[in-house]
Amino acid sequence: MGLFDSVLGNILGGSNGKGLDYVAIMQWVEQQGGLQAILDKFRQGQFGDVVGSWLGNGENQQINGDHVQQALGSDAINQLAEKLGIDPAQASATIAQFLPTVADAASPNGEVQQDSNELGDMVGKLFK
């Protein structure tokens, strides 16, 4: 396990004891239309202020698994749960921990950077 994996594991809390497949999480984000599309779903789901805190320079507001479920829907969460081999509640909680940090890292100027096609590249900027 590399430094990237271990730091990201600390962010996500290593919740399932087996170690989460971070690549699978990032692939799932891309399958949902990318980070911007997920953030748009949160904005449409009445979480615009929360998303704004992730994109801004201040403290990131936190969300919980219920918020994730509400914004993204059960189909998307079930897809992630199946991909990771965990139950949907764990998948929602994982995204609730993952998303604020990733959105913050991917938006150094207040907007999600579109110049990279790889979410992994954006996340990698966290650990430089």
Side-chain angles (χ1 to χ4, degrees):
M1 179 184 295
L3 176 62
F4 172 78
D5 292 331
S6 90
V7 173
L8 193 53
N10 288 336
I11 290 170
L12 297 176
S15 60
N16 70 357
K18 298 184 286 187
L20 291 172
D21 185 346
Y22 311 116
V23 172
I25 294 171
M26 291 185 281
Q27 288 172 344
W28 173 84
V29 169
E30 291 301 321
Q31 289 171 350
Q32 303 310 305
L35 182 58
Q36 188 63 57
I38 288 178
L39 296 178
D40 289 344
K41 289 178 184 178
F42 272 87
R43 286 185 187 107
Q44 294 165 2
Q46 308 304 316
F47 296 103
D49 290 343
V50 175
V51 170
S53 77
W54 302 341
L55 301 178
N57 292 326
E59 187 174 331
N60 291 338
Q61 292 182 30
Q62 298 302 307
I63 56 172
N64 62 41
D66 290 338
H67 298 142
V68 171
Q69 181 79 26
Q70 180 182 342
L72 301 180
S74 60
D75 287 344
I77 298 305
N78 289 339
Q79 288 173 4
L80 178 62
E82 185 176 315
K83 204 179 246 300
L84 297 176
I86 59 179
D87 68 56
Q90 286 177 298
S92 293
T94 297
I95 294 302
Q97 291 180 306
F98 182 78
L99 193 56
T101 304
V102 171
D104 191 40
S107 59
N109 299 315
E111 294 182 22
V112 174
Q113 299 298 306
Q114 298 296 328
D115 59 352
S116 173
N117 293 329
E118 296 287 330
L119 182 58
D121 290 345
M122 290 186 262
V123 175
K125 292 176 186 176
L126 278 171
F127 310 111
K128 286 187 176 181

